[in-house]
Amino acid sequence: MKHFIKRFFSLLFWSFLIGNFGFGQQLEEHIKNFTVNSGLGSSTINTVLEDKQGFMWFGTNKGLIKYDGYQFLTFGTKAGDTTTLSHGIIWDMAEDSKGNIWLATKGGVSKYDPHTENFKQYVQSHSDSSAISHNKTYSLLVDEADRVWVGHWTGLDVYNEEKDIFEPALSSPSNNMYKNGVFAMGELDSNVLFLMTYYLEFILFDKRSSKPLKRYENLTYEGRPITLTSSFKTANGKIKILGQQGAIYDFNPLNGKLSLLQSNTFDKLEKKAVQFLSHHEFDNNVFWLGTSSGVLEINKNNEGTTKWIGNAILESCATYVIYEDSKKSIWIGTETCGLFHIDSNAKPFFYSNRIITPKEELDLKLVDNIFADSKSNLWFLNPLKGITKFDPAENRITNFEEINQHLASGEASFVDAKLIEANDGTIWISTRNSGIIKLD
């Protein structure tokens, strides 16, 4: 979230957390579908990235596409030219601190240098032991230390910048070459990666020792085995696991335990034959899940309600990737329907009647004023009940009893009251007939 107009975007962000959110009835007006007829080089979009300059990149089945907001530019392969892509099918992308874009392809890793606009290929070679371990690369990660990790068919490699080569970090045993094949990965902390393997198992990998810390081969919930379909790390550092039939779990990587957040999502839907293919988390309770039949929203703020997102075209498409850019626009890449863009004007709107915390509940049915301070706390003014502060990070509600008692006795009025924050963090409230209130 950028520093400018911080309070506005802070308020918008926390409206995701505390309310039931949805898109307005005119959502379809904000959806644009890019296809090959629009200049898109491929109808299949596997991965999306926004670089530090604000350009959008799309990894497809027919090369790499760059979008500058006006037109698409496609980078392809050329036999015998090592300054082009190593393969046209791109599964994942990541940008390092120098602005290089790393690409996991079906034919090794490619690095795009924005200064030279050329690629460098890192491909498997049976005659060169220093080459990358396998050409079928599926996942990429640039970690906090700017190290590049690539997951491939048989394990995990890490880039050695000094030698300009990839070196093996985790390999599969000779009797099961796909045992440690890494199809997805994330950074648990500065020292530990979590890996999802070919066999849908979890590995916690220690970057310092280059050894697995823990392996979870058979996850269970209440004694029943869980079939893992996808996983991702959330904004609060937790790991979410997506299981069959739309079940969503919180996963504790330290002890391997699961807690159920949502069960049997698909049982409530008309579309039964769907598979999870991608995901996006707006907050800890609202998810968009890309499926083989469109995009599904699951809203835990509203008792786990579900609905399909988008227009008739999108609802018929297998969704491979959902990406939110820095402008809060949504990019949706599909298998055969091209690329969908939902612009930031289709802002989610807040229509919750309450905030619920473990200890209490805040009624929002009669709120005259709402204010987001520099610490992302939300302040609510109710003309009948007074002033309340909600801390989303701690999920805590604070009532100012003394001031609110004055209100109840008729000594103050919060009708048309205004809130501002001073540079030192002090909150000032102006009232209609009782002067100024200062809250330290």
Side-chain angles (χ1 to χ4, degrees):
M1 197 174 299
K2 302 297 183 183
H3 179 69
F4 56 84
I5 52 178
K6 176 179 179 182
R7 293 176 186 172
F8 170 78
F9 280 110
S10 177
L11 174 58
L12 176 64
F13 175 81
W14 289 117
S15 73
F16 280 122
L17 179 65
I18 63 178
N20 309 323
F21 92 94
F23 284 92
Q25 295 179 352
Q26 304 304 316
L27 171 62
E28 293 192 13
E29 297 179 3
H30 299 279
I31 297 179
K32 187 170 184 179
N33 184 201
F34 296 101
T35 66
V36 291
N37 295 327
S38 313
L40 196 65
S42 172
S43 293
T44 302
I45 310 296
N46 300 314
T47 182
V48 180
L49 173 72
E50 181 183 19
D51 68 19
K52 294 179 176 62
Q53 304 300 317
F55 296 115
M56 299 300 302
W57 298 83
F58 308 101
T60 79
N61 278 2
K62 294 183 179 180
L64 177 67
I65 299 175
K66 178 182 179 181
Y67 182 60
D68 62 3
Y70 301 96
Q71 60 185 357
F72 296 100
L73 175 65
T74 301
F75 300 89
T77 61
K78 185 177 181 180
D81 187 348
T82 59
T83 65
T84 64
L85 278 169
S86 58
H87 199 283
I89 297 179
I90 301 168
W91 295 116
D92 201 7
M93 295 186 287
E95 183 183 18
D96 65 23
S97 63
K98 299 179 179 65
N100 298 310
I101 297 177
W102 296 84
L103 309 160
T105 83
K106 192 177 179 180
V109 172
S110 294
K111 179 178 70 173
Y112 175 77
D113 185 333
H115 304 292
T116 64
E117 297 187 340
N118 287 327
F119 294 85
K120 178 162 186 179
Q121 301 177 1
Y122 301 84
V123 297
Q124 185 182 25
S125 172
H126 296 294
S127 61
D128 183 0
S129 60
S130 66
I132 198 167
S133 301
H134 204 285
N135 273 340
K136 289 186 178 180
T137 58
Y138 292 97
S139 56
L140 267 168
L141 173 72
V142 176
D143 67 15
E144 292 180 357
D146 209 35
R147 288 175 293 182
V148 181
W149 302 81
V150 58
H152 51 74
W153 196 250
T154 59
L156 179 72
D157 281 22
V158 61
Y159 179 62
N160 184 322
E161 184 175 11
E162 183 178 350
K163 297 180 180 179
D164 194 24
I165 60 173
F166 278 89
E167 298 174 332
L170 177 67
S171 302
S172 297
S174 57
N175 63 345
N176 190 345
M177 64 180 299
Y178 307 129
K179 176 70 174 177
N180 294 329
V182 176
F183 278 62
M185 73 175 100
E187 193 168 16
L188 191 61
D189 58 38
S190 59
N191 296 318
V192 179
L193 300 177
F194 67 94
L195 315 174
M196 193 175 80
T197 73
Y198 174 82
Y199 289 109
L200 303 180
E201 299 169 351
F202 265 127
I203 296 175
L204 298 189
F205 181 79
D206 188 337
K207 294 187 286 186
R208 296 165 299 183
S209 64
S210 292
K211 293 181 180 179
L213 295 173
K214 290 185 179 181
R215 179 189 291 270
Y216 299 104
E217 298 184 357
N218 300 298
L219 294 176
T220 62
Y221 177 73
E222 294 183 346
R224 299 189 303 272
I226 300 300
T227 300
L228 179 68
T229 62
S230 183
S231 66
F232 57 99
K233 182 182 176 184
T234 63
N236 60 12
K238 295 181 179 179
I239 296 175
K240 293 286 187 298
I241 288 180
L242 307 182
Q244 287 184 323
Q245 294 302 312
I248 304 177
Y249 303 88
D250 255 331
F251 176 64
N252 185 334
L254 300 179
N255 58 24
K257 291 185 177 180
L258 299 172
S259 56
L260 183 65
L261 295 181
Q262 174 86 359
S263 64
N264 299 326
T265 298
F266 296 154
D267 288 350
K268 306 174 184 178
L269 305 174
E270 295 179 1
K271 299 180 182 180
K272 296 290 185 180
V274 295
Q275 296 176 317
F276 282 141
L277 300 173
S278 57
H279 60 267
H280 181 73
E281 180 200 26
F282 288 99
D283 61 58
N284 197 40
N285 289 308
V286 179
F287 308 92
W288 278 15
L289 303 180
T291 78
S292 52
S293 299
V295 178
L296 176 69
E297 176 190 296
I298 299 177
N299 192 333
K300 288 297 294 178
N301 291 318
N302 194 22
E303 300 179 352
T305 56
T306 58
K307 64 180 179 181
W308 295 98
I309 296 295
N311 55 23
I313 299 175
L314 179 56
E315 288 182 5
S316 66
C317 301
T319 302
Y320 280 175
V321 58
I322 304 170
Y323 186 92
E324 185 177 11
D325 66 22
S326 61
K327 300 180 180 66
K328 304 300 180 183
S329 293
I330 307 297
W331 299 85
I332 300 173
T334 69
E335 181 182 22
T336 57
C337 304
L339 180 70
F340 291 84
H341 176 244
I342 304 176
D343 69 42
S344 56
N345 290 325
K347 290 279 194 296
F349 58 81
F350 167 69
Y351 56 90
S352 180
N353 288 328
R354 57 185 178 172
I355 296 175
I356 301 175
T357 71
K359 294 184 177 181
E360 53 192 322
E361 180 176 323
L362 175 59
D363 187 352
L364 298 175
K365 292 179 181 177
L366 188 60
V367 172
D368 270 4
N369 203 337
I370 182 172
F371 174 78
D373 66 22
S374 59
K375 297 179 180 179
S376 296
N377 297 310
L378 294 178
W379 297 76
F380 300 94
L381 286 178
N382 184 313
L384 300 179
K385 297 182 179 180
I387 183 169
T388 307
K389 181 178 76 171
F390 174 59
D391 182 343
E394 300 293 332
N395 198 22
R396 185 176 63 240
I397 295 170
T398 301
N399 290 297
F400 296 86
E401 299 295 343
E402 183 177 351
I403 295 174
N404 294 338
Q405 286 174 6
H406 282 300
L407 171 69
S409 65
E411 296 180 20
S413 174
F414 285 111
V415 176
D416 297 330
K418 306 296 181 185
L419 297 93
I420 63 168
E421 181 182 13
N423 293 334
D424 61 0
T426 301
I427 302 296
W428 294 83
I429 306 168
S430 64
T431 68
R432 172 182 287 185
N433 56 14
S434 300
I436 300 293
I437 297 173
K438 174 185 176 185
L439 296 175
D440 292 322

